[in-house]
Amino acid sequence: MNTRKQAQHKSAPVLQVQNLFKHYTGKNGNRLIAVNDVSFSIDKGEVLGIVGESGCGKSTLGRTVLRLVEATSGKIAYSGQDLATLKGAELKTLRKDAQIVFQDPFGALNPQHTVSRVIAEPLLVHKLGNRKQRLSRVAELLELVGMPTDAGKKYPHEFSGGQRQRIAIARALASKPTFLVCDEAVSALDVSVQSQILNLLMDLRQQLNLAMMFISHDLSVIRHISDRVAVMYLGKFVECAETEQLMNNPMHPYTQALLSAVPHPLAKQQSRIILHGEQPDALNPPTGCVFHTRCHKRNETIDSQCVATVPALQKYTDGHQVACHLHVQSTEQFDL
Ligand code: ADP
């Protein structure tokens, strides 16, 4: 564990999530469990990466922790305060302290507004500062995200995708949040622009001591920015570990398959693991381990368990949890 994290472990986590479920009603009125019994915490200044295939529940998780969608059950706490009990002014304060950056900056930025007005939006919503102070804050934010000050007079469509994402980040930071959800924030960008925006986010995180939930389907993106990574499959966390630990010693067969597709000098050399079939229909998930229908590690000894019993996310080593019947080493449950 690095020194930054050692120092921070003493303070209360920015975000604590316990046994979170989010159900949707799918086609034919069937229940779809988009987030299935997920627990984790994020420390001040820490970046937790959430990785998994499209449709596994990453965005729903990100939106649920911000209460942009209501959880079905479970507990979400910010700095120890239960989100469910927040109302009125307290909920508004949370909205100021916890922000989101979406994948599509163009869709997220009002084309009718100048960039200054777009960035000032959270300041207006939260009634922060007078006009002069807001203008000064917008100029400061433009500089912070590496945009020229005169960009404020222009409109979002006058900028490239990468610049628009810088504007979206400036807006998200306007109210000085302590926690940021980045939902596929670089996925729509060209690879070279992706790394510029990732570098910007990494700099900002250092400068502002921001905690982040960084959501991406791409492990090669996640690994650059995350202190820890949680691997999600069909609504569940199947593995969670510090980034280097996960890259060097992936325990879950799904993580191994994801990692085998990512060239990385630190990662264990292994041949590409091709997952068979599609991710199962979330409306009709497999019994037992949700990954068992595609698992390359199933064997006769434990097969009946994989099909019948849901493996709990359990401590494998300190800071490394895995939900797989192959790796049951202790009976200790994942502890917040
Ligand atoms: P990801 O972000 O990993 O791509 P999502 O959170 O968007 O996954 O979706 C998780 C599951 O929930 C998917 O099966 C998706 O179809 C379903 N889902 C997402 N939003 C809704 C909704 N508003 N109504 C019904 N089902 C939804």
Side-chain angles (χ1 to χ4, degrees), residues 24 32 34 53-60 282:
Y24 290 118
L32 184 153
E53 284 159 288
S54 175
C56 72
K58 305 181 296 298
S59 289
T60 302

Short mmCIF file of all heavy atoms in Angstrom, two decimals, residues 24 32 34 53-60 282, ligand 1:
data_model
loop_
_atom_site.label_atom_id
_atom_site.label_comp_id
_atom_site.label_asym_id
_atom_site.label_seq_id
_atom_site.Cartn_x
_atom_site.Cartn_y
_atom_site.Cartn_z
N TYR A 24 -34.47 -3.07 -11.79
CA TYR A 24 -35.32 -2.41 -12.78
C TYR A 24 -36.40 -3.41 -13.19
O TYR A 24 -36.24 -4.61 -12.99
CB TYR A 24 -34.53 -2.04 -14.06
CG TYR A 24 -33.53 -0.93 -13.89
CD1 TYR A 24 -32.17 -1.16 -14.10
CD2 TYR A 24 -33.94 0.36 -13.57
CE1 TYR A 24 -31.23 -0.13 -13.98
CE2 TYR A 24 -33.00 1.40 -13.45
CZ TYR A 24 -31.67 1.14 -13.66
OH TYR A 24 -30.76 2.15 -13.55
N LEU A 32 -35.12 -7.08 -13.22
CA LEU A 32 -33.73 -7.10 -13.69
C LEU A 32 -32.86 -6.53 -12.57
O LEU A 32 -33.08 -5.40 -12.12
CB LEU A 32 -33.62 -6.23 -14.95
CG LEU A 32 -32.28 -6.17 -15.68
CD1 LEU A 32 -32.52 -5.86 -17.16
CD2 LEU A 32 -31.32 -5.17 -15.09
N ALA A 34 -29.80 -4.91 -11.73
CA ALA A 34 -28.66 -4.23 -12.37
C ALA A 34 -27.47 -4.12 -11.42
O ALA A 34 -26.32 -4.18 -11.85
CB ALA A 34 -29.09 -2.85 -12.85
N GLU A 53 -17.83 -5.53 -18.67
CA GLU A 53 -18.44 -5.36 -19.99
C GLU A 53 -19.66 -4.45 -19.94
O GLU A 53 -20.28 -4.30 -18.88
CB GLU A 53 -18.90 -6.73 -20.52
CG GLU A 53 -17.79 -7.62 -21.02
CD GLU A 53 -18.23 -9.08 -21.03
OE1 GLU A 53 -18.37 -9.67 -19.95
OE2 GLU A 53 -18.44 -9.61 -22.13
N SER A 54 -20.01 -3.94 -21.10
CA SER A 54 -21.20 -3.12 -21.22
C SER A 54 -22.42 -3.89 -20.70
O SER A 54 -22.56 -5.08 -20.98
CB SER A 54 -21.38 -2.76 -22.70
OG SER A 54 -22.56 -2.07 -22.87
N GLY A 55 -23.25 -3.23 -19.93
CA GLY A 55 -24.47 -3.86 -19.42
C GLY A 55 -24.30 -4.55 -18.07
O GLY A 55 -25.25 -5.13 -17.55
N CYS A 56 -23.09 -4.49 -17.49
CA CYS A 56 -22.88 -5.22 -16.23
C CYS A 56 -23.34 -4.41 -15.01
O CYS A 56 -23.34 -4.93 -13.89
CB CYS A 56 -21.42 -5.65 -16.06
SG CYS A 56 -20.30 -4.29 -15.71
N GLY A 57 -23.71 -3.15 -15.21
CA GLY A 57 -24.27 -2.37 -14.09
C GLY A 57 -23.41 -1.23 -13.61
O GLY A 57 -23.73 -0.59 -12.60
N LYS A 58 -22.34 -0.89 -14.33
CA LYS A 58 -21.41 0.14 -13.88
C LYS A 58 -22.09 1.51 -13.75
O LYS A 58 -21.97 2.18 -12.72
CB LYS A 58 -20.21 0.26 -14.84
CG LYS A 58 -19.46 -1.04 -15.08
CD LYS A 58 -18.28 -0.86 -16.01
CE LYS A 58 -18.63 -0.44 -17.43
NZ LYS A 58 -19.47 -1.41 -18.20
N SER A 59 -22.79 1.92 -14.83
CA SER A 59 -23.42 3.24 -14.81
C SER A 59 -24.52 3.31 -13.76
O SER A 59 -24.66 4.32 -13.06
CB SER A 59 -24.07 3.54 -16.17
OG SER A 59 -23.08 3.78 -17.10
N THR A 60 -25.28 2.23 -13.66
CA THR A 60 -26.35 2.21 -12.65
C THR A 60 -25.74 2.38 -11.27
O THR A 60 -26.26 3.15 -10.44
CB THR A 60 -27.14 0.88 -12.74
OG1 THR A 60 -27.67 0.77 -14.05
CG2 THR A 60 -28.27 0.84 -11.73
N ALA A 282 -29.42 -10.22 -18.42
CA ALA A 282 -29.58 -9.82 -17.01
C ALA A 282 -30.98 -10.16 -16.48
O ALA A 282 -31.19 -10.27 -15.28
CB ALA A 282 -29.31 -8.33 -16.86
P1 ADP B 1 -23.13 -0.57 -17.91
O1 ADP B 1 -22.97 0.82 -17.41
O2 ADP B 1 -22.17 -1.52 -17.29
O3 ADP B 1 -23.12 -0.65 -19.40
P2 ADP B 1 -25.89 -0.27 -17.05
O4 ADP B 1 -25.83 0.14 -15.64
O5 ADP B 1 -26.14 0.79 -18.06
O6 ADP B 1 -24.57 -1.09 -17.43
O7 ADP B 1 -27.02 -1.39 -17.22
C1 ADP B 1 -27.09 -2.52 -16.36
C2 ADP B 1 -28.32 -3.32 -16.72
O8 ADP B 1 -29.48 -2.57 -16.35
C3 ADP B 1 -28.45 -3.61 -18.21
O9 ADP B 1 -29.03 -4.90 -18.37
C4 ADP B 1 -29.39 -2.54 -18.69
O10 ADP B 1 -30.12 -2.96 -19.83
C5 ADP B 1 -30.31 -2.34 -17.49
N1 ADP B 1 -30.85 -1.00 -17.36
C6 ADP B 1 -30.13 0.15 -17.23
N2 ADP B 1 -30.95 1.20 -17.08
C7 ADP B 1 -32.23 0.72 -17.12
C8 ADP B 1 -33.53 1.30 -17.01
N3 ADP B 1 -33.69 2.60 -16.82
N4 ADP B 1 -34.60 0.48 -17.10
C9 ADP B 1 -34.47 -0.86 -17.27
N5 ADP B 1 -33.26 -1.49 -17.37
C10 ADP B 1 -32.16 -0.71 -17.30
#
